Amino acid sequence: MLSSELERFINEDIGEWDDSSTIVPDVDAVASVITEEDCVIAGLSEACQILRHFGLEAEPLYNEGENVLTGVVVLFIRGNARLILQAERLVLNFLSKMSGISTLTRECMMRVSRTSGNVRVACTRKTTPGFRVFEKKAVFLGGGDTHRFNLSDAVLIKDNHIKILGLADCLRRAKLQTSFTKKIEVEVENLDQMLEAAEIGVDIIMFDNMKPFDIKHGVELLAERGIREKLILEASGGISLENIEDYASTGVDVISMGFLTKNAHWTNLKLDIKKKSKV
Amino acid sequence: MLSSELERFINEDIGEWDDSSTIVPDVDAVASVITEEDCVIAGLSEACQILRHFGLEAEPLYNEGENVLTGVVVLFIRGNARLILQAERLVLNFLSKMSGISTLTRECMMRVSRTSGNVRVACTRKTTPGFRVFEKKAVFLGGGDTHRFNLSDAVLIKDNHIKILGLADCLRRAKLQTSFTKKIEVEVENLDQMLEAAEIGVDIIMFDNMKPFDIKHGVELLAERGIREKLILEASGGISLENIEDYASTGVDVISMGFLTKNAHWTNLKLDIKKKSKV
Amino acid sequence: MLSSELERFINEDIGEWDDSSTIVPDVDAVASVITEEDCVIAGLSEACQILRHFGLEAEPLYNEGENVLTGVVVLFIRGNARLILQAERLVLNFLSKMSGISTLTRECMMRVSRTSGNVRVACTRKTTPGFRVFEKKAVFLGGGDTHRFNLSDAVLIKDNHIKILGLADCLRRAKLQTSFTKKIEVEVENLDQMLEAAEIGVDIIMFDNMKPFDIKHGVELLAERGIREKLILEASGGISLENIEDYASTGVDVISMGFLTKNAHWTNLKLDIKKKSKV
Amino acid sequence: MLSSELERFINEDIGEWDDSSTIVPDVDAVASVITEEDCVIAGLSEACQILRHFGLEAEPLYNEGENVLTGVVVLFIRGNARLILQAERLVLNFLSKMSGISTLTRECMMRVSRTSGNVRVACTRKTTPGFRVFEKKAVFLGGGDTHRFNLSDAVLIKDNHIKILGLADCLRRAKLQTSFTKKIEVEVENLDQMLEAAEIGVDIIMFDNMKPFDIKHGVELLAERGIREKLILEASGGISLENIEDYASTGVDVISMGFLTKNAHWTNLKLDIKKKSKV
Amino acid sequence: MLSSELERFINEDIGEWDDSSTIVPDVDAVASVITEEDCVIAGLSEACQILRHFGLEAEPLYNEGENVLTGVVVLFIRGNARLILQAERLVLNFLSKMSGISTLTRECMMRVSRTSGNVRVACTRKTTPGFRVFEKKAVFLGGGDTHRFNLSDAVLIKDNHIKILGLADCLRRAKLQTSFTKKIEVEVENLDQMLEAAEIGVDIIMFDNMKPFDIKHGVELLAERGIREKLILEASGGISLENIEDYASTGVDVISMGFLTKNAHWTNLKLDIKKKSKV
Amino acid sequence: MLSSELERFINEDIGEWDDSSTIVPDVDAVASVITEEDCVIAGLSEACQILRHFGLEAEPLYNEGENVLTGVVVLFIRGNARLILQAERLVLNFLSKMSGISTLTRECMMRVSRTSGNVRVACTRKTTPGFRVFEKKAVFLGGGDTHRFNLSDAVLIKDNHIKILGLADCLRRAKLQTSFTKKIEVEVENLDQMLEAAEIGVDIIMFDNMKPFDIKHGVELLAERGIREKLILEASGGISLENIEDYASTGVDVISMGFLTKNAHWTNLKLDIKKKSKV
C-alpha cells in the first residue's frame, strides 16, 4: 500500500478533527483482534502497516491465508490508547472485508478439489472501485487466481468487442498490435465461436455464460481436433457455490467468478482493548 | 466525486496501456445499461460523471433511488465504441455495488415500516476503505440514514473508550472539549449504563448488542423517568433482515446495521453495445 | 498533518533548487525559537513534525496553549545547520500565525469571563483557504470552540437559504433529510424568526448581526415561554474585542467571531542558530 | 490555480456530505458580491475559477487591482441556487483575504510615494503556509513587489547563514555554486558588513532591522565610494504604516515588509442571493 | 495522460509566478510547430492535450507515427499569445523526445526488415523514471513492441533471480503462483539454460548478452527437438543499429533494445509564432 | 525527492502485482552496483533514497560528481533479496541516466577549459518532462550551471516574445513588472539587437544561434563601448562537443547547451546480487 493511499484511507475514517479521540488521555494500552467466526485470515499485513503508521506496535499471530478458528487472537497491538481507538475501525474493515473474500475463495477451492484437483478458481474485475488490489490479494491468499488486474494486463476480447468488429477482425488486430509479452483471450458464447477462435489461434478461450453440458462438449471437441493442449480453457458467468462443481467437472482449466468479490460477506472480528497494567 | 478520485478509479481499471482498446477502431456506437433483476437504482450520477469524463454522452432514464424492474434500460450511452468499452466495467461496478446497497436498505425500511412508521434505518462505518461516501450515499438513496461519516462527525463514546476512561469521565471530557455544534452519543451494554448516561445527559444512546426485550425495557424505563423525549435512542449490533422487525418494535428511533454495507450483494446489470446504424 | 500536506508546505517554501542551502556545509548546530512578545503558544506540534521530517531533533519546552512571556525559548532544535536553515521560515510561519490566533482567542475568553463564566467563544469558516484545520486548532488551544469545520459538520440554515426556501420549508426538509447524528442550527435576523424556529424545533439558534439589546430581549422571551433550556443560543456578526462583553452579557451560550481568524496578528518569534561547540 | 489545488480548497469547505445543500431544491438564482468597505479588489480571477468549477456563470465587474468603493457589486453570479450556496464561503474567503492585502499594500505605496516616487514596497516569505502564491499576487495587485517566492528564487544570505559561515565565505561559495541566472543578496546588520559585502560584490544589500538614520548614512557611504549605482538597496525589519515614510526617505530602492501579509485585515464583503424571477 | 500528470508537467515548466508571461499583453496569435529534420512524428496527441489545457486551439497536420520531412508544419496553434509562449517549451519537449524515439525505432525496424520480415523490435524498462508510458508509446508509434510496462506485466525470470533460487525453482514457483493470464519468460545466458527452460516449459526465452552465432545455434537446437514453435524467442543485450541485422538473422522472433530509449537523440523542432493579422 | 514522487516512480516500475517478486523467498542477500564504463557518477543519493524506502541498507562508495573508472563498485546494498530485485531497475535507471549527463557535462567543461578557464557550461529547459530537477542536478554534479529551472526563475525575453511585442517594449514591461530579485535576460539574433538591449540595460544577453565569429565581434563591440563588464554574455544554439571550443573562445561568460540533456547517452552500470553466505 502506497503511503499516499494509506493516508487517504485513514483520512476517510478520521476526518478533520476527531473529538472522540481528544477525550482520551495519553495512556498505554494493549489490544487484541479476535475472530468471531472461522475464516481464512487476510489483511494482516495491511492492518500492521496501518497500525505502524499510527506509531503502534503490531504483531500478527498468523500468516495470511491460514485457516483460523473462532475466538482466536490474530493480531496483537501495543501503544497509546487514543491511537489504537483511532485506528480500530480501519484495521477491522480491512481484515473483515479481505478475510471474507479469502474464506469464500477457499470454500470454492475445496468444492472444486472434490471434482478436479487442477482447476483454478479466479476472480474478475467486478471489484469495489479503488479497492481492487486488496480484493484480488484476498482471492490469492484464499488460494485463487487473481486474473487480470486491469484492461492492460492481457487482451481479453469480449462479446461487446465482437459485436463491433467481428471475432476474426478482433483477433487479427490483437495479434498485430499487442506486445508479444501478453496473452490473448477470447470470450465465446457458443461452440462455433470456440472453434473459430481456436483455429485462428489464441492463448485462452473463455466459455461465457454457457451451460456445463455445452462446455464439456466444447472441451471434447477441442481434444478431438488435437488442440486442447495448446489452449487454456476458462468457464465464466453465473457461477456460484451452488453450481461450481458442475463447472469443475467440464474439463476446463479455470473457473472465474464475480461471485468471489460480489457475494463475499465480511468476516466478523472484534478488537478488545485494555489499559496496560502497571507491574 | 472529485476529478482526482475519478481519475484514480479509471486508472485502476485501465492500467498503463490498454491493448484491448487499441484494437477497436473509431466507430460510433450506442449502448444501454439494463437491469437483470429488480432493484433500487443508485450510482447513476457517478456513472454519468465517468462516461462524460470519457467524452461520451450519458442519459439516465430513472432518478436515483427509484424502484426499477428487471429488464429495463436505466442508462443510455452514445459515442465512440472504444471509449464505451473502456468505461464499461467501472460504470457497471458503480451501479451494481451501489444499487445492491440501496435495494437492501429499501428492503429493511419496508420491514421496519410494517412495525413502526418512524424508525430510521442507518448504516455504520463498516464500509469498504476508500468507498465510504458512495456506500453511504446508496444507503441514503434507499431511504436510510447515513449516520457518522467519520470520527469527526459526532462524538460516539464506545465500549473501548469506556474501558479506558469510564463512562462518567468520558462524558465529562466530551462536554468540555467538543464543539457545541456536535452531538454526543454513548454506546451502552446494559440498562445501568443507559441510566448513568441519561442522567449525566447525552444526545443519543445506542443499545449495543442488546436483546430486543432488554432494549424495550430500557425505553420504558426512560419514559417512566420522563426523559425519553430528550433522547434519541438507537439499537445496533447483529441486526439483519431476519430480526429487524423485533428491534423496530422496541420503541427506538434508529436501527443501525453494518449489515446494509457488509451483506449487500451486487445488483446484476449488463451493458449492451451496438454500432450506430448509418441512415 | 498528513505527510502529503507537510511535503506541500515544505515544497512551497523551498522550491526546486535551494542555492542558499547548497552554500552551507555539513556542520552540526543548535537553534532556539524565542518569543518576542507575550503570547499563547500554538503550532509546536506542527513545528516539531516539520523539523523531524528534515531529520532534525526538536524539543518543545512548553505545552501548546500555555501562556508564554517575551524572550523565552519555546522550542529547541539540534542537527545539521543547513537543514535548520531550510526549515526555519516554515516553522516560524506556523508558530507565528497559530500563536497569534490562540493569543487573540485567549484575550476574548478573558473579556467574556469577566461578564459570564459559561459563554463559549467560537470561530467561524472565515479562514485562509487550505489552512483551516490549523486556524481552528489555534482557536481550540486558546480556549475557544472550533464550530463547524465545513458544510457537512452540522446543518446551518443561513439568510441565503431562507431567501430561497423560507424558514419553515428549510427546517422541514432538514429534519427529513439530515442524519439524526447532526445538529440543526438556524441563523435568525429578528425575534419573529427566532420564535418561528424555536416553535418548529431546532438545536441551535444564531442571532445574526443583531444588537446586544435585542438578543437579550430574545433570550428573555424564550425563557418566558419555557423553551430556553432546550436550545443553544449563539450571537454572531461584527463582534470584536471592543464589544464582546456586551454580547457576553446577553445570556447567549456562544459568541462566534470571524474576528478571531481575520484580525489576529502574527506573534513575533525568532530563530537563533549557532554552530555546535566542540567539546 | 491548479485544479488539484482548487479541489482541495473546495473539499476543505464542503466536506464529505453537505446536508445544508441537500435541502435546497434545484432553483435558478442570481447573486452579487458586494463590498462593505472601500478596498483594492483582488481575488476575482480565483473567485471566477471556483464558481465556474461549480458550473456557475461568473462575471467580474472590475479589474483586479482597481480601487473600489463601499457598497459596490464587484462580481455577478448566475446559476443553480444550491451550488451558489456551496461556493459562497470559499469565494468570499478568497476575495476578503486577498483584497485586504492589496488594500494595505496600496496604502503603503501611497505613503511611500509622498516621499519618494521610485521606492518599491515588497512583501516577504512571512505568508500563510499553502497560500503564499495568492498572498504574493495580492501584493502585486496592490502595486507591490513579490520578492522571493521561495528559497530557490534568488540567493539571500541571512544573519543565520553568516553566523555559521561568516560573510566572506558565504559570498565566495554563493558565487561559485549558484547559477549565473540568479541574483545574490546579503542581509547586513551594520555598515561594516555593508561595506564588506559591497566590496566583495553582490547584487542586493538588505539593511536588516537598522534605523532609518543608519541606513541613510549607509546609502551615502556607498555613493561616496561610487558603488551606489551597482547595487539594489533594501530596507527590512519592523516596518509598518507608522514608520514607512522614514524608511522611504533613506534613499533605498526597496522597502520589504512582513507587515503586508501579517497585519492585513480581511476586507468585508457579502454575497446576496435571490431566486430568479420568472418573466 | 491523466490531468493530474498534465498539471505536474506544466507546473514543472512554469513555476509559481511566470514573469516572462506577465509582460505579454492579451493578443491573438497563430503558431506553427515545424520539423528541422526528417523524423517519425510522435507526441502530437500529448501536445494537443497540453495546448487545449491552456485553452488554445491545436490542430495536428499528421497522424502520429507518420514519416515527416524537414521543414514541414506538423501542428498548427491558435489563441492567446501569452499562453502559446507558456506552453511552447513543454510541447516541444514532448514532441522532440518522443519523435526521437519513434524515429530511431523505425530505423531499427527497417534494418531488421532487410533481413527478416517477421522480427519484432522491442524496447525495455530502461526508460526515464516517470516518463515510461510516453517512451513506450513512441516505440509503438515507430513500429516497435512495447514489451513489459512494469514488473507486474509478465513474469520475467532474470539472471539475478536465478542466482538466488536456481532456474528450476524459479519456474516451479512461477507456475504455481502466477495468474494463468500472464506469460512466463526466462532470461538465459547459455544453451544449457535454454534447454533446461524449454524442457520445463515457458512461454518466452530471452537470449541475454549472447553472440548472434550462439543464438542461431540455440534456435536450431530447439527446432531439432521440435519445440521451436511452442516458444517465443527474444534476443537482448548490447544490440544497437550497428549489429541489429546480425541478431535479426539468428531466427529469433523479437529483438529487444535498451538502445531505443537510451540512445535516441531528440528530434529538432521549432515553434514559430506571429501576431494574428487583422483583416 | 518528495516521498510522493518517489512512490510514483516506484509504482511505475512495479505495477499493481509483481509476480516476479512473489516467487522469490525471504533470503538475505548483498548486491553491488558496478560501472561498465568510465563516468562521472551521479544519482547516488536518489538511488540510496529509493533503496532505503524499500527497507534496504545502501552504502555509496563515491561522492556524487567524482570521476569513476570502469569495473568499480559505486554502491553496496544489503537486505532482502526480493526487495533488491524490485528496486534494481529504478536504481539503475536513475544512476545511468544521471551519470550519462554528468559525464557529458564534465567532458564539455574540459574542452572549454582548454580555451578559457572561466566560461560556464549550462543546460537549458530541454529536459524530459517530469525529470528536470534530476537532469539539472546531474549537470551541476558534472560541473555545469543549472540555468533557469522554469519560466519563473528569471525573465528571459526570447525571439517569440520579441516577435509579439518588440524588444524595447518587452524590456520596458519587464523592468516595470518583475520583482527586483530577478535578473532580466534577452535573446538576440544579431548585433543590432545586442546593442539595443545593452543600451536599455539588461543583466544577461544571450547570443542565439549566432556564429562564433559574430559573437566574438559582439563581445568586442561591447568592450569598446565600456559596457562589457556590466553584462553577463551567453552563447546558445546548436552547440555540441564538436564546436564548443569555438564558442568558448569568443569571450562569452556562459555557453548553454540543450545538447547536455538531449544527447547524453546512459552510462552502463549493472547490479550483481548474491545470497548472503552463512558464516
Side-chain angles (χ1 to χ4, degrees), chain D residues 104-164:
Chain D
L104 182 58
T105 305
R106 180 75 42 91
E107 174 74 14
C108 289
M109 289 299 290
M110 288 188 307
R111 297 261 173 123
V112 161
S113 68
R114 291 181 208 155
T115 313
S116 154
N118 291 318
V119 178
R120 290 190 178 208
V121 171
C123 56
T124 66
R125 280 167 45 238
K126 291 172 182 167
T127 57
T128 313
F131 207 65
R132 180 172 290 165
V133 77
F134 305 107
E135 298 183 38
K136 294 252 179 193
K137 186 183 166 190
V139 167
F140 179 79
L141 291 171
D145 187 297
T146 52
H147 213 292
R148 293 203 299 170
F149 272 79
N150 53 46
L151 290 172
S152 303
D153 247 17
V155 178
L156 175 41
I157 294 161
K158 309 193 72 166
D159 54 345
N160 278 335
H161 290 85
I162 295 171
K163 277 185 204 159
I164 298 294

Side-chain angles (χ1 to χ4, degrees), chain A residues 13-14 19 132 152 182, chain B residues 13-14 17 19 132 152 182:
Chain A
D13 195 48
I14 294 198
D19 285 293
R132 180 173 291 166
S152 302
K182 293 191 184 176
Chain B
D13 194 47
I14 294 199
W17 185 265
D19 286 293
R132 179 171 291 165
S152 302
K182 292 191 184 177

Side-chain angles (χ1 to χ4, degrees), chain C residues 24-162:
Chain C
V24 181
D26 282 312
V27 209
D28 279 339
V30 291
S32 307
V33 176
I34 302 167
T35 54
E36 297 184 307
E37 58 183 309
D38 296 2
C39 65
V40 174
I41 193 73
L44 286 171
S45 67
E46 283 76 18
C48 289
Q49 197 185 342
I50 294 162
L51 291 161
R52 287 169 193 152
H53 184 90
F54 276 94
L56 298 162
E57 282 176 61
E59 191 184 338
L61 305 179
Y62 284 85
N63 292 316
E64 296 193 300
E66 276 194 89
N67 290 310
V68 177
L69 295 178
T70 308
V72 161
V73 177
V74 289
L75 182 61
F76 188 70
I77 304 163
R78 224 182 303 251
N80 183 292
R82 182 170 57 240
L83 298 176
I84 295 175
L85 293 173
Q86 287 194 309
E88 175 180 359
R89 184 72 266 140
L90 183 58
V91 161
L92 290 177
N93 284 356
F94 258 97
L95 290 168
S96 298
K97 173 97 186 173
M98 288 181 68
S99 300
I101 292 172
S102 293
T103 306
L104 183 58
T105 304
R106 179 76 42 92
E107 173 75 15
C108 289
M109 289 299 291
M110 288 188 307
R111 298 264 172 121
V112 161
S113 68
R114 291 182 207 156
T115 314
S116 154
N118 291 317
V119 178
R120 292 190 177 206
V121 171
C123 57
T124 65
R125 279 167 45 239
K126 290 172 182 168
T127 57
T128 313
F131 206 66
R132 179 172 292 164
V133 78
F134 305 106
E135 299 185 35
K136 294 252 178 193
K137 185 183 166 192
V139 167
F140 179 79
L141 291 171
D145 187 296
T146 52
H147 214 293
R148 293 203 299 170
F149 273 78
N150 53 46
L151 290 171
S152 302
D153 246 17
V155 179
L156 175 42
I157 294 161
K158 309 193 73 165
D159 54 346
N160 278 335
H161 290 86
I162 296 171

Side-chain angles (χ1 to χ4, degrees), chain C:
Chain C
M1 183 159 30
L2 300 177
S3 80
S4 57
E5 203 173 16
L6 178 61
E7 287 204 341
R8 230 180 344 96
F9 289 141
I10 289 173
N11 213 27
E12 180 191 59
D13 194 47
I14 294 198
E16 64 288 325
W17 186 265
D18 173 11
D19 286 293
S20 307
S21 88
T22 62
I23 69 171
V24 181
D26 282 312
V27 209
D28 279 339
V30 291
S32 307
V33 176
I34 302 167
T35 54
E36 297 184 307
E37 58 183 309
D38 296 2
C39 65
V40 174
I41 193 73
L44 286 171
S45 67
E46 283 76 18
C48 289
Q49 197 185 342
I50 294 162
L51 291 161
R52 287 169 193 152
H53 184 90
F54 276 94
L56 298 162
E57 282 176 61
E59 191 184 338
L61 305 179
Y62 284 85
N63 292 316
E64 296 193 300
E66 276 194 89
N67 290 310
V68 177
L69 295 178
T70 308
V72 161
V73 177
V74 289
L75 182 61
F76 188 70
I77 304 163
R78 224 182 303 251
N80 183 292
R82 182 170 57 240
L83 298 176
I84 295 175
L85 293 173
Q86 287 194 309
E88 175 180 359
R89 184 72 266 140
L90 183 58
V91 161
L92 290 177
N93 284 356
F94 258 97
L95 290 168
S96 298
K97 173 97 186 173
M98 288 181 68
S99 300
I101 292 172
S102 293
T103 306
L104 183 58
T105 304
R106 179 76 42 92
E107 173 75 15
C108 289
M109 289 299 291
M110 288 188 307
R111 298 264 172 121
V112 161
S113 68
R114 291 182 207 156
T115 314
S116 154
N118 291 317
V119 178
R120 292 190 177 206
V121 171
C123 57
T124 65
R125 279 167 45 239
K126 290 172 182 168
T127 57
T128 313
F131 206 66
R132 179 172 292 164
V133 78
F134 305 106
E135 299 185 35
K136 294 252 178 193
K137 185 183 166 192
V139 167
F140 179 79
L141 291 171
D145 187 296
T146 52
H147 214 293
R148 293 203 299 170
F149 273 78
N150 53 46
L151 290 171
S152 302
D153 246 17
V155 179
L156 175 42
I157 294 161
K158 309 193 73 165
D159 54 346
N160 278 335
H161 290 86
I162 296 171
K163 276 184 204 158
I164 297 294
L165 268 181
L167 176 54
D169 211 17
C170 279
L171 278 174
R172 190 182 53 75
R173 284 164 166 267
K175 290 180 173 217
L176 205 66
Q177 294 184 12
T178 303
S179 171
F180 72 95
T181 56
K182 293 191 184 177
K183 287 189 177 168
I184 297 175
E185 174 168 12
V186 175
E187 199 176 285
V188 302
E189 292 176 325
N190 54 55
L191 301 187
D192 286 348
Q193 281 188 324
M194 176 196 78
L195 288 174
E196 188 183 358
E199 270 155 31
I200 300 175
V202 293
D203 296 297
I204 312 168
I205 288 177
M206 180 208 287
F207 298 101
D208 186 38
N209 281 309
M210 288 174 61
K211 300 215 170 113
F213 177 85
D214 295 325
I215 295 174
K216 191 166 191 172
H217 186 45
V219 178
E220 287 161 3
L221 256 168
L222 293 170
E224 283 166 19
R225 305 199 173 194
I227 46 180
R228 168 65 185 91
E229 292 317 309
K230 290 184 182 167
L231 293 162
I232 296 172
L233 300 178
E234 174 182 358
S236 193
I239 306 177
S240 67
L241 268 180
E242 269 69 51
N243 58 18
I244 190 170
E245 292 173 70
D246 299 339
Y247 285 90
S249 61
T250 57
V252 294
D253 303 299
V254 183
I255 291 170
S256 64
M257 305 161 80
F259 182 82
L260 295 182
T261 46
K262 287 163 62 180
N263 292 54
H265 294 195
W266 291 38
T267 298
N268 284 308
L269 293 147
K270 65 176 175 187
L271 182 148
D272 271 0
I273 196 169
K274 62 176 179 176
K275 249 193 281 190
K276 211 174 158 183
S277 54
K278 297 170 188 168
V279 184

Side-chain angles (χ1 to χ4, degrees), chain A residues 72-123:
Chain A
V72 161
V73 177
V74 288
L75 182 60
F76 188 71
I77 304 163
R78 223 183 303 251
N80 184 292
R82 183 170 57 239
L83 298 176
I84 294 175
L85 294 172
Q86 287 194 311
E88 174 180 1
R89 186 73 264 141
L90 183 57
V91 161
L92 290 177
N93 284 355
F94 259 96
L95 290 168
S96 298
K97 173 97 187 174
M98 289 180 69
S99 300
I101 292 172
S102 293
T103 306
L104 183 57
T105 304
R106 180 75 42 92
E107 174 75 15
C108 289
M109 289 298 292
M110 289 188 307
R111 299 262 173 123
V112 161
S113 67
R114 293 182 207 156
T115 314
S116 155
N118 291 317
V119 178
R120 292 190 177 206
V121 171
C123 56

Side-chain angles (χ1 to χ4, degrees), chain E residues 8-9 11-25 27-29 81 85-90 93-94 96-97 125-133 135 148-161 163-165 169-171 173-175 177-179 182 261-268 271-275, chain F residues 8-9 11-25 27-29 81 85-90 93-94 96-97 125-133 135 148-161 163-165 169-171 173-175 177-179 182 261-268 271-275:
Chain E
R8 230 182 343 96
F9 289 139
N11 213 28
E12 181 191 59
D13 194 48
I14 294 198
E16 65 288 324
W17 185 266
D18 173 11
D19 285 294
S20 308
S21 88
T22 62
I23 69 171
V24 180
V27 210
D28 279 340
L85 293 171
Q86 287 194 310
E88 175 180 0
R89 185 75 262 140
L90 182 57
N93 284 354
F94 258 97
S96 298
K97 173 98 186 173
R125 278 165 47 237
K126 290 172 183 169
T127 58
T128 313
F131 206 66
R132 179 172 292 165
V133 78
E135 299 184 37
R148 293 203 300 170
F149 273 79
N150 53 47
L151 291 173
S152 303
D153 246 19
V155 178
L156 175 41
I157 294 161
K158 311 192 70 167
D159 55 345
N160 279 335
H161 291 86
K163 278 185 203 157
I164 297 295
L165 269 180
D169 212 18
C170 279
L171 278 173
R173 283 163 167 268
K175 290 181 174 217
Q177 293 184 14
T178 303
S179 172
K182 293 191 185 178
T261 47
K262 286 163 64 180
N263 291 55
H265 294 196
W266 291 37
T267 298
N268 284 308
L271 182 148
D272 272 0
I273 196 170
K274 63 175 180 177
K275 247 192 283 191
Chain F
R8 227 175 354 89
F9 289 141
N11 213 29
E12 180 190 58
D13 194 47
I14 294 199
E16 64 287 326
W17 185 266
D18 173 10
D19 286 293
S20 309
S21 87
T22 63
I23 69 170
V24 181
V27 209
D28 279 339
L85 293 172
Q86 287 193 310
E88 175 180 0
R89 185 75 263 139
L90 183 57
N93 283 355
F94 258 97
S96 298
K97 173 98 186 173
R125 278 166 46 239
K126 290 171 183 169
T127 58
T128 312
F131 206 65
R132 179 172 291 165
V133 78
E135 299 184 36
R148 293 203 299 170
F149 273 78
N150 53 46
L151 291 172
S152 302
D153 246 17
V155 178
L156 175 41
I157 294 161
K158 310 192 72 165
D159 54 345
N160 278 335
H161 290 86
K163 276 185 204 157
I164 297 295
L165 268 180
D169 211 17
C170 279
L171 279 173
R173 282 164 167 268
K175 291 182 172 215
Q177 293 184 14
T178 303
S179 170
K182 293 192 184 176
T261 46
K262 287 164 62 179
N263 291 55
H265 295 195
W266 290 39
T267 298
N268 283 309
L271 182 147
D272 271 1
I273 197 170
K274 61 175 179 178
K275 248 194 283 191

